[in-house]
């Protein structure tokens, strides 16, 4: 993983030609060094002047929420793409105009049914009190988004307090708050952010299991939270797979205990999925699902063209076939053709390098592009975030954060022996998850936005890298 991510980091710095994040290598390296110095100085100041950590957390969180609200007001958008399709679908569902089971979009993209049901549940009280207009629903959606983001960050803070020294906790919290997607994605209340508290919550309870707090409640809650996350964003299953790998191979418990724990967590994980499937079986036309739904092979096919991102031609191609099996066979035909072309032209390494860069080389996580789709307000200040040519400073900050995150994940692996045993267990579980996400994005339709709900996991591994690096430097000073 260290070798692959070092190769990735080199290309992010020197060969990253994404039009959204095109920063010169020298500028990026120098600014990253400057950023590190600033963080070091802020950390010294925090340790010197912050005597009441609780008050610091409360004040910084309040300021952060105010910034989120201001950003949401300035950058609010009229919902479009999948986000808009489900937003309007949820409103039509609760007002009785078009029930979900008659909404054609959900027959094609069934992965969004869970999201649609969540929005319907949240929007329904707004309808009951008579605020039946798009502005009210949009405001509620943004408030829900802020709650989901901030609950996930506060859960992240609980993990930080368990695994890191007091001298590091305040700066790690501040760095988490300053990580740009936690602000820039506030106006877009889609599955990327709404799944965050369930993912981080699931990880929090999994870590309790790893640390021998294996009561039934912790096991069940971890599985249930990740199951809910899966109904919103299926990549949540990677966390479950990572836990099974970690718990099966890297623990010394009796095999019966391991199997029991894994079985309970899988049953709890399956409950939200089974509930959603029962809902689909009762309300949705099964024949129509068979005719219209896209098979998994569709997204594998899209992931083999261009930069591996969304491709309307591939959507039109899959849509042209009736029946899931016919779509699947048609997709497999194109998949085989594209793989053969990559092999024949000896472009496999360059193709997957480019695809990995498209996903992992964008420190903005595609937020400026999404915020520029149907903006409500036309304000000059927005040019400093949106892709207008004036956003160089924002891009530089975002890319710097990304580069340093990946750098310290790598350093954490290399300097692993300087971590405590508890931190090493945390790191191993996190990095199995991260590598799983990396492999998944190589084969699936690619987009940097798909990493948003995994950012807390990236940050935790990064913080472990920072800790290992500090302890390594301290050990060298002792030797001198």
């Amino acid at each position: 993983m260290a070798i692959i991510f070092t190769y990735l980091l080199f290309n992010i710095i020197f060969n990253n030609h994404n039009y959204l994040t095109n920063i010169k290598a020298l500028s990026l390296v120098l600014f990253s060094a400057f950023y590190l110095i600033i963080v070091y100085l802020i950390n010294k100041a925090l340790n010197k002047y912050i005597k009441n950590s609780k008050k610091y957390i409360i004040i910084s969180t309040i300021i952060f929420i105010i910034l989120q609200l201001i950003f949401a007001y300035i950058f609010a958008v009229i919902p479009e793409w999948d986000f808009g399709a489900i937003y309007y679908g949820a409103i039509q569902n609760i007002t009785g105009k078009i029930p979900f089971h008659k909404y054609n979009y959900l027959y094609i993209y069934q992965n969004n049914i869970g999201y649609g049901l969540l929005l319907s549940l949240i929007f329904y009280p707004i309808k009951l009190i008579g605020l039946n207009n798009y502005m009210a629903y949009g405001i509620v959606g943004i408030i829900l988004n802020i709650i989901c983001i901030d609950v996930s960050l506060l859960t992240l803070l609980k993990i930080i307090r368990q695994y890191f020294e007091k001298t590091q906790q305040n700066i790690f919290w501040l760095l988490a708050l300053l990580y740009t997607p936690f602000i820039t994605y506030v106006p877009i209340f889609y599955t990327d952010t709404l799944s965050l508290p369930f993912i981080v919550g699931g990880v929090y309870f999994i870590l309790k299991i790893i640390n021998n707090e294996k009561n039934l409640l912790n096991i069940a809650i971890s599985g249930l939270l990740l199951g809910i996350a899966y109904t919103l964003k299926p990549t949540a299953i990677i966390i479950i797979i990572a836990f099974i790998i970690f718990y099966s191979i890297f623990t010394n418990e009796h095999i019966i205990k391991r199997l029991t724990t894994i079985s309970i967590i899988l049953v709890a994980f399956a409950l939200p999925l089974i509930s959603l499937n029962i809902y689909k079986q009762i309300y949705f036309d099964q024949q129509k699902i068979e005719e219209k739904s896209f098979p998994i092979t569709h997204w594998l096919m899209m992931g083999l063209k261009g930069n591996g991102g969304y491709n309307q031609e591939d959507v039109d191609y899959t849509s042209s076939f009736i029946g899931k099996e016919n779509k699947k066979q048609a997709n497999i035909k194109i998949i085989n053709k594209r793989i053969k072309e990559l092999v024949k032209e000896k472009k496999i390494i360059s193709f997957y390098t480019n695809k990995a860069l498209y996903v992992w080389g964008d420190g903005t996580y595609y937020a400026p592009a999404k915020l520029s789709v149907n903006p409500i307000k036309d304000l000059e200040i927005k040019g400093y975030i949106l892709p207008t040519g004036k956003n160089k400073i924002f891009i530089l900050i975002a890319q710097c954060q990304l580069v340093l995150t990946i750098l310290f994940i790598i350093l954490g692996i290399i300097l692993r022996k300087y971590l405590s045993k508890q931190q090493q267990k945390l790191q191993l579980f996190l990095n199995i998850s991260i590598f799983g996400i990396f492999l998944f994005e190589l084969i699936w339709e690619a987009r940097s936005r798909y990493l948003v709900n995994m950012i807390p996991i990236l940050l935790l591994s990064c913080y472990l890298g920072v800790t290992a690096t500090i302890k390594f430097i301290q050990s060298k000073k002792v030797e001198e």
Side-chain angles (χ1 to χ4, degrees):
M1 180 173 169
I3 292 167
I4 291 172
F5 272 58
T6 301
Y7 174 76
L8 177 63
L9 181 61
F10 176 86
N11 281 281
I12 289 172
I13 296 171
F14 297 102
N15 298 317
N16 196 358
H17 305 300
N18 188 322
Y19 79 99
L20 289 172
T21 55
N22 196 4
I23 296 291
K24 290 182 180 178
L26 182 60
S27 299
L28 184 54
V29 170
L30 291 176
F31 188 80
S32 296
F34 174 73
Y35 190 91
L36 273 179
I37 293 169
I38 295 298
V39 168
Y40 172 75
L41 294 174
I42 291 173
N43 185 47
K44 288 194 73 172
L46 289 175
N47 288 329
K48 184 176 181 180
Y49 297 110
I50 300 298
K51 304 303 179 185
N52 189 326
S53 184
K54 187 177 180 180
K55 189 181 289 185
Y56 161 76
I57 298 298
I58 292 171
I59 293 171
S60 60
T61 303
I62 290 170
I63 293 170
F64 179 66
I65 292 170
I66 292 169
L67 285 174
Q68 288 178 313
L69 290 169
I70 292 170
F71 192 92
Y73 175 78
I74 294 172
F75 287 88
V77 297
I78 298 171
E80 277 289 338
W81 43 285
D82 295 331
F83 166 41
I86 301 301
Y87 168 74
Y88 295 114
I91 295 171
Q92 290 175 328
N93 180 48
I94 62 170
T95 54
K97 293 179 181 178
I98 304 177
F100 271 150
H101 60 274
K102 293 185 178 179
Y103 194 30
N104 281 331
Y105 173 90
L106 289 175
Y107 281 91
I108 299 172
Y109 301 107
Q110 293 174 63
N111 59 297
N112 274 316
I113 294 176
Y115 169 54
L117 290 173
L118 174 63
L119 282 192
S120 297
L121 180 67
I122 299 299
F123 287 169
Y124 194 71
I126 306 304
K127 178 211 166 190
L128 288 179
I129 61 176
L131 295 174
N132 195 20
N133 61 74
Y134 289 128
M135 180 178 288
Y137 290 125
I139 291 170
V140 169
I142 287 172
I143 291 171
L144 171 66
N145 206 23
I146 289 173
I147 291 170
C148 285
I149 291 170
D150 295 356
V151 166
S152 69
L153 286 172
L154 289 169
T155 308
L156 176 65
L157 177 62
K158 288 176 73 70
I159 299 172
I160 288 170
R161 285 180 161 175
Q162 289 177 3
Y163 284 91
F164 299 97
E165 296 172 3
K166 285 187 176 181
T167 54
Q168 297 174 307
Q169 291 171 11
N170 289 338
I171 188 64
F172 286 165
W173 172 242
L174 182 62
L175 290 175
L177 294 183
L178 292 175
Y179 214 73
T180 62
F182 297 134
I183 295 177
T184 55
Y185 265 95
V186 165
I188 303 168
F189 44 96
Y190 190 50
T191 55
D192 307 300
T193 45
L194 297 188
S195 62
L196 264 170
F198 303 105
I199 293 237
V200 184
V203 168
Y204 173 76
F205 283 99
I206 277 177
L207 294 178
K208 282 182 172 291
I209 298 167
I210 290 173
N211 290 323
N212 294 317
E213 295 181 45
K214 286 184 285 296
N215 59 61
L216 182 61
L217 190 62
N218 288 339
I219 299 169
I221 290 176
S222 63
L224 190 62
L225 288 173
L226 290 169
I228 295 170
Y230 179 89
T231 64
L232 296 171
K233 204 76 177 174
T235 48
I237 199 170
I238 292 170
I239 307 298
I240 286 288
I241 294 169
F243 171 73
I244 292 171
I245 292 171
F246 175 88
Y247 202 66
S248 300
I249 301 173
F250 301 106
T251 55
N252 297 321
E253 283 193 352
H254 192 278
I255 189 167
I256 300 299
K257 285 188 177 181
R258 278 183 278 175
L259 287 174
T260 302
T261 300
I262 290 170
S263 298
I264 295 169
I265 204 170
L266 285 176
V267 168
F269 177 79
L271 287 176
L273 282 64
I274 292 168
S275 301
L276 187 60
N277 193 52
I278 290 170
Y279 168 81
K280 284 161 54 177
Q281 291 287 337
I282 293 172
Y283 291 101
F284 279 71
D285 184 333
Q286 299 306 304
Q287 185 177 346
K288 196 173 179 180
I289 286 178
E290 172 59 30
E291 290 176 359
K292 289 185 170 290
S293 66
F294 281 14
I296 289 173
T297 49
H298 166 75
W299 287 276
L300 299 176
M301 178 184 73
M302 273 207 295
L304 284 165
K305 185 175 183 180
N307 55 19
Y310 179 84
N311 187 307
Q312 187 59 46
E313 288 182 4
D314 281 359
V315 173
D316 294 339
Y317 173 76
T318 302
S319 300
S320 67
F321 296 90
I322 304 299
K324 201 168 183 178
E325 187 58 34
N326 290 333
K327 288 181 173 69
K328 181 180 175 181
Q329 293 305 320
N331 293 156
I332 291 172
K333 182 180 176 182
I334 300 299
I335 287 169
N336 290 333
K337 181 183 176 183
R338 288 177 181 174
I339 290 173
K340 285 177 182 177
E341 286 175 357
L342 287 173
V343 172
K344 184 179 178 182
E345 296 174 15
K346 298 179 181 179
K347 290 184 177 179
I348 287 181
I349 293 176
S350 61
F351 171 79
Y352 283 109
T353 299
N354 183 52
K355 188 174 180 182
L357 273 176
Y358 183 63
V359 177
W360 294 86
D362 175 15
T364 71
Y365 297 88
Y366 213 66
K370 290 302 182 187
L371 291 171
S372 63
V373 179
N374 273 356
I376 292 174
K377 293 177 178 63
D378 183 18
L379 301 172
E380 189 176 342
I381 193 173
K382 295 171 72 172
Y384 295 99
I385 300 292
L386 303 183
T388 59
K390 296 180 183 178
N391 64 344
K392 293 292 184 185
I393 299 297
F394 169 72
I395 297 299
L396 196 55
I397 292 169
Q399 288 301 101
C400 163
Q401 289 179 337
L402 174 71
V403 163
L404 292 175
T405 299
I406 295 177
L407 172 64
F408 281 106
I409 288 174
I410 296 165
L411 289 174
I413 297 169
I414 295 169
L415 303 174
R416 176 176 164 78
K417 70 177 183 178
Y418 293 95
L419 297 173
S420 68
K421 293 296 181 184
Q422 188 188 37
Q423 288 174 331
Q424 286 180 1
K425 287 196 290 184
L426 171 65
Q427 185 198 47
L428 186 55
F429 166 66
L430 294 173
N431 285 353
I432 293 171
S433 302
I434 293 168
F435 200 64
I437 298 160
F438 176 80
L439 294 176
F440 174 80
E441 292 291 351
L442 282 185
I443 64 171
W444 202 253
E445 176 218 346
R447 182 63 56 87
S448 56
R449 178 173 62 81
Y450 298 163
L451 296 177
V452 169
N453 63 349
M454 299 294 178
I455 288 173
I457 293 171
L458 298 176
L459 290 180
L460 279 172
S461 185
C462 165
Y463 297 161
L464 288 166
V466 172
T467 301
T469 304
I470 291 170
K471 289 185 176 179
F472 167 73
I473 293 169
Q474 288 173 343
S475 71
K476 293 300 176 185
K477 285 182 179 179
V478 170
E479 287 175 11
E480 290 174 1

